[in-house]
Amino acid sequence: MTIDATHDPALTSWVESANGHRDFPVQNLPLGIFSAEGLERRAGVAIGDFVLDLPAIAEALGDAWLDELAQPVLNGFFALGAEPRRALRARLSELLSDPANRDRIESALIGQSEVTMHLPAIVGDYTDFYVGIHHATNVGRQFRPDNPLLPNYKYVPIGYHGRASSVRVSGKPVVRPSGQRKPPEAEVPVYGKSRRLDYELELGVWIGRGNQLGEPIPIGEAADSIAGYSLLNDWSARDLQAWEYQPLGPFLAKNFLTSVSPWVVTPEALAPFMTADFARPDGDPAPLDYLAGGSDKPGLGLTMEAFLTTAAMREQGVAPLRLSRGRAADAMYWTVEQIVTHHASNGCNLQPGDLIGTGTLSTAAADGLGSLLEISAGGKSPLTLPTGEQRSFLEDGDELTITARAEADGFVAIGLGECRGVVFG
Ligand SMILES: O=C(O)/C=C/C(=O)CC(=O)CC(=O)O
Ligand SMILES: [Ca+2]
Ligand SMILES: [Mg+2]
């Protein structure tokens, strides 16, 4: 992944709110789908506090404008791969940094508070992996105390097929699911509202070009299949999960809703923040040949955070409480390239707009746990909140927000925005 003029830390934008913006300086330029008063769903780019309406500046974009950008979803653009994405980024960077362009572009800016964001693509398929080795160990210990990490973990990037139809954009209310759970003292299960609703701190990976059925993606080409990244929260009902998961794994405990943030941060924007290190300790078995190789720096230098605000905290004006903070690269045993290659290794076809979850990104640090299941040790150690309330799992009225930010010496930091949901009973 190359560093070019679009990453220059000296670059500023005539959109003043972009300069020093937490997430969306001119070095980021993430893509999304928005609608607004009088504007049907369309492609946009986040810049500072604004969304830039891409179809409205088609002429100014020149050769970087493509008909695929005139669609109400980004599947068609994702399918084109990296080159058009790079060209669009380069042209947007010029248009938004050189003040000479202000007059012809400014009327295409709409305040982010005035738009509705949508899923960036039609999600044909959604798969969730399990590459957070600390999460897998912590959860494994609770479900299987004697055997936390199964022997296949260090050979196979474990995943399960999720439910594409219940993927929603950030902000969708989280309706507490009902299902079967078996209280420890009960002889038979009961059906009713989940009492152990949880979040999972994850990254979402959007598939770009994909592969034909029957044609695997070699590890050296996996990076080319990635269109970008969003935040992902795999809402999970732990009591349903514990009862239903054997022998086929996650099902109704996880398919009632999956939330993603609306902005797709491109691999190009993340180039300065990729790292060579990730959470595969020296001395572990080498990956099998088909998973070995790939980019020199496949690790994601993204710091992820999760915050909780309860209804009482909101009423009392108490600031959100940070539940988790950790770097994705410190959590991931398998890289995104390995995930993609493994998924397609049997010939399974990945398609433009498919969504892949990394798995819960917990680090080894005490404050780096990416779910309440881990934070409360399966409900045994509830958290005490600033209001004096206690939490083992999410209660009605709780708001959970995920963010992620990339920082590196000599570069302007960028962010992924946020992925948010409020729980209703
Ligand atoms: O069945 C189990 O032992 C565990 C399943 C999961 O935790 C699935 C999952 O969502 C993986 C993850 O987010 O890391
Ligand atoms: Ca998950
Ligand atoms: Mg889910």
Side-chain angles (χ1 to χ4, degrees):
M1 204 58 66
T2 46
I3 307 293
D4 59 31
T6 64
H7 301 104
D8 185 346
L11 215 55
T12 57
S13 176
W14 50 261
V15 181
E16 284 93 7
S17 63
N19 304 321
H21 195 275
R22 190 186 177 288
D23 291 314
F24 307 129
V26 71
Q27 286 81 1
N28 191 348
L29 306 172
L31 300 165
I33 293 290
F34 74 99
S35 61
E37 178 101 46
L39 294 178
E40 295 290 313
R41 288 181 195 220
R42 52 184 52 215
V45 167
I47 177 80
D49 295 335
F50 295 88
V51 178
L52 178 61
D53 178 346
L54 284 182
I57 60 158
E59 205 174 310
L61 285 170
D63 291 345
W65 170 258
L66 296 168
D67 287 344
E68 284 78 1
L69 290 168
Q71 302 297 315
V73 288
L74 291 169
N75 299 69
F77 187 68
F78 286 174
L80 300 175
E83 266 326 303
R85 215 171 51 223
R86 275 194 205 107
L88 179 65
R89 173 179 171 82
R91 184 66 185 138
L92 285 168
S93 177
E94 268 170 30
L95 290 173
L96 288 165
S97 55
D98 184 349
N101 297 303
R102 184 172 190 148
D103 282 352
R104 61 173 174 159
I105 301 292
E106 198 165 25
S107 62
L109 292 174
I110 304 159
Q112 279 176 26
S113 57
E114 287 161 48
V115 307
T116 303
M117 296 304 300
H118 303 278
L119 278 181
I122 295 169
V123 181
D125 273 301
Y126 158 55
T127 306
D128 194 21
F129 277 82
Y130 200 33
V131 310
I133 187 168
H134 305 293
H135 172 75
T137 308
N138 296 337
V139 172
R141 200 174 284 128
Q142 291 182 28
F143 288 137
R144 294 173 297 272
D146 310 331
N147 197 9
L149 206 59
L150 294 173
N152 60 359
Y153 191 87
K154 295 188 172 182
Y155 291 94
V156 188
I158 303 289
Y160 66 96
H161 280 129
R163 181 87 185 163
S165 67
S166 51
V167 175
R168 289 290 185 283
V169 79
S170 167
K172 177 78 181 170
V174 185
V175 178
R176 181 177 296 277
S178 289
Q180 280 198 27
R181 60 191 156 81
K182 194 173 94 56
E185 65 290 351
E187 271 189 25
V188 292
V190 294
Y191 173 85
K193 297 250 184 216
S194 168
R195 295 189 178 160
R196 294 188 149 216
L197 184 59
D198 202 354
Y199 72 98
E200 289 191 331
L201 180 68
E202 302 198 27
L203 279 171
V205 181
W206 295 99
I207 294 297
R209 222 174 0 214
N211 59 311
Q212 295 300 314
L213 186 67
E215 292 177 13
I217 300 175
I219 188 85
E221 292 168 25
D224 288 341
S225 301
I226 301 165
Y229 299 86
S230 293
L231 300 158
L232 186 147
N233 187 345
D234 177 19
W235 304 99
S236 297
R238 301 303 183 188
D239 37 7
L240 278 54
Q241 185 181 356
W243 174 238
E244 76 170 6
Y245 87 99
Q246 297 187 71
L248 292 183
F251 182 39
L252 300 180
K254 284 171 173 284
N255 69 3
F256 56 94
L257 177 67
T258 303
S259 301
V260 288
S261 57
W263 294 109
V264 180
V265 173
T266 64
E268 290 69 49
L270 285 174
F273 311 103
M274 302 304 282
T275 84
D277 60 307
F278 52 99
R280 172 185 280 274
D282 289 341
D284 269 15
L288 298 187
D289 280 352
Y290 78 103
L291 294 174
S295 305
D296 294 342
K297 292 183 171 178
L300 288 159
L302 274 170
T303 300
M304 324 246 322
E305 296 185 305
F307 296 90
L308 173 69
T309 311
T310 67
M313 289 168 72
R314 215 161 26 244
E315 274 157 30
Q316 296 172 32
V318 177
L321 177 72
R322 187 167 71 202
L323 296 180
S324 328
R325 180 174 204 274
R327 204 174 64 124
D330 294 334
M332 295 174 69
Y333 190 82
W334 298 101
T335 66
V336 175
E337 291 172 26
Q338 288 171 323
I339 289 173
V340 165
T341 290
H342 181 67
H343 203 318
S345 64
N346 63 346
C348 172
N349 53 325
L350 304 183
Q351 304 190 88
D354 279 2
L355 179 64
I356 292 180
T358 51
T360 309
L361 298 180
S362 300
T363 68
D367 65 351
L369 302 174
S371 68
L372 280 165
L373 181 69
E374 295 167 88
I375 294 169
S376 73
K380 290 196 281 288
S381 314
L383 269 179
T384 301
L385 308 180
T387 47
E389 298 171 280
Q390 297 224 312
R391 279 296 178 280
S392 290
F393 295 97
L394 296 169
E395 301 289 342
D396 295 347
D398 286 0
E399 175 171 326
L400 199 289
T401 302
I402 295 177
T403 64
R405 228 165 161 247
E407 291 174 323
D409 284 347
F411 291 96
V412 173
I414 64 171
L416 269 67
E418 62 172 38
C419 183
R420 207 172 51 78
V422 181
V423 177
F424 289 87

